Amino acid sequence: LLIYIVIFTGIAIWRYEHFLFNESGDLLLFEQVIYNTVHGRPFYNNFSKQNHFGDHNSPMLAILVPFASIFPVPYVLYAFTGLSIAISAIPIFLIAKESLKNEVNALILSTSYLILPAFIGRAFLSFHEINLVLPFISFAFYYFVKEKIYLFITMFIMGLMVKEDVSLTFFMFAVYAFIKKREMKWYVIPAALSISWLLLSIEVII
């Protein structure tokens, strides 16, 4: 995972420094939002001339700010993308190891996950806040499988904080729990959290 993060963050930074990146709109948008936050204008978006929370409810972006005060913002954005993808492979490996009863096959499966073209593209083409949700979704699923409700809810809530529309994805945990005939708490709590976060985001914050 460390090699993966170093390689793809390195490629991304090299491409950035040589003007070889595509789909730069989101990269530039988030670069200035984080840069403005570091320099005393919290989450200000120069494109829409308002706070970023006027467009999207993304409090998870705050975790980038301390690092952006030390390193160039694009480097931080690319590093966190690589980090998010890499960390999300850990529960994939753990679930596969338990299901397949074979560590080598689990390693092959989780490595295949890491080199999916969609993730390789995310690692160095641009940046979007949605990249940060990957580890929270995969760990939430892991704790769902292990039936550890408190850790599941913790990952669930942290995942919701990435962006308002991920609540629609996380709502599917409630559907899945209902299909699996889990106890009521496994589908009532996720459904309530997802709907509440979406309504709070759209009707109040944005």
Side-chain angles (χ1 to χ4, degrees):
L1 294 181
L2 288 173
I3 292 170
Y4 182 91
I5 294 167
V6 169
I7 288 175
F8 287 104
T9 301
I11 291 172
I13 292 173
W14 184 88
R15 287 171 58 87
Y16 177 85
E17 292 293 346
H18 291 80
F19 304 99
L20 296 174
F21 55 93
N22 301 316
E23 303 176 11
S24 59
D26 283 334
L27 175 67
L28 297 175
L29 186 153
F30 288 104
E31 180 180 356
Q32 63 174 267
V33 166
I34 301 302
Y35 180 89
N36 285 337
T37 303
V38 172
H39 290 85
R41 292 183 294 170
F43 300 101
Y44 184 73
N45 180 345
N46 294 347
F47 288 166
S48 59
K49 305 298 182 183
Q50 65 176 351
N51 191 285
H52 179 71
F53 286 91
D55 295 315
H56 295 291
N57 185 15
S58 309
M60 187 57 67
L61 288 174
I63 67 171
L64 306 177
V65 176
F67 300 94
S69 63
I70 303 171
F71 303 103
V73 180
Y75 295 9
V76 174
L77 299 180
Y78 282 128
F80 266 84
T81 295
L83 183 65
S84 295
I85 296 170
I87 291 175
S88 71
I90 295 174
I92 302 296
F93 171 78
L94 295 174
I95 293 170
K97 181 182 175 182
E98 185 171 322
S99 300
L100 302 175
K101 311 298 182 186
N102 186 300
E103 192 170 279
V104 174
N105 288 341
L107 186 60
I108 292 171
L109 182 64
S110 53
T111 302
S112 300
Y113 166 86
L114 285 171
I115 61 174
L116 282 169
F119 289 155
I120 299 298
R122 285 295 88 198
F124 61 79
L125 284 180
S126 185
F127 173 85
H128 197 278
E129 60 203 338
I130 205 70
N131 299 339
L132 303 178
V133 81
L134 287 170
F136 302 118
I137 286 181
S138 60
F139 268 103
F141 186 71
Y142 173 72
Y143 292 126
F144 181 94
V145 170
K146 303 297 289 184
E147 298 190 28
K148 296 183 177 180
I149 185 69
Y150 295 113
L151 291 172
F152 166 72
I153 293 300
T154 299
M155 292 297 106
F156 194 100
I157 292 173
M158 293 178 73
L160 290 177
M161 293 175 68
V162 172
K163 195 180 178 187
E164 74 282 350
D165 56 5
V166 300
S167 58
L168 302 174
T169 301
F170 277 96
F171 181 83
M172 291 298 105
F173 277 109
V175 177
Y176 187 54
F178 184 79
I179 293 171
K180 297 289 286 183
K181 298 181 180 179
R182 288 281 183 91
E183 294 178 51
M184 185 179 293
K185 63 184 178 183
W186 283 98
Y187 53 87
V188 171
I189 296 175
L193 287 173
S194 299
I195 295 170
S196 298
W197 182 255
L198 183 62
L199 293 176
L200 175 68
S201 300
I202 294 174
E203 300 295 337
V204 179
I205 295 174
I206 296 175

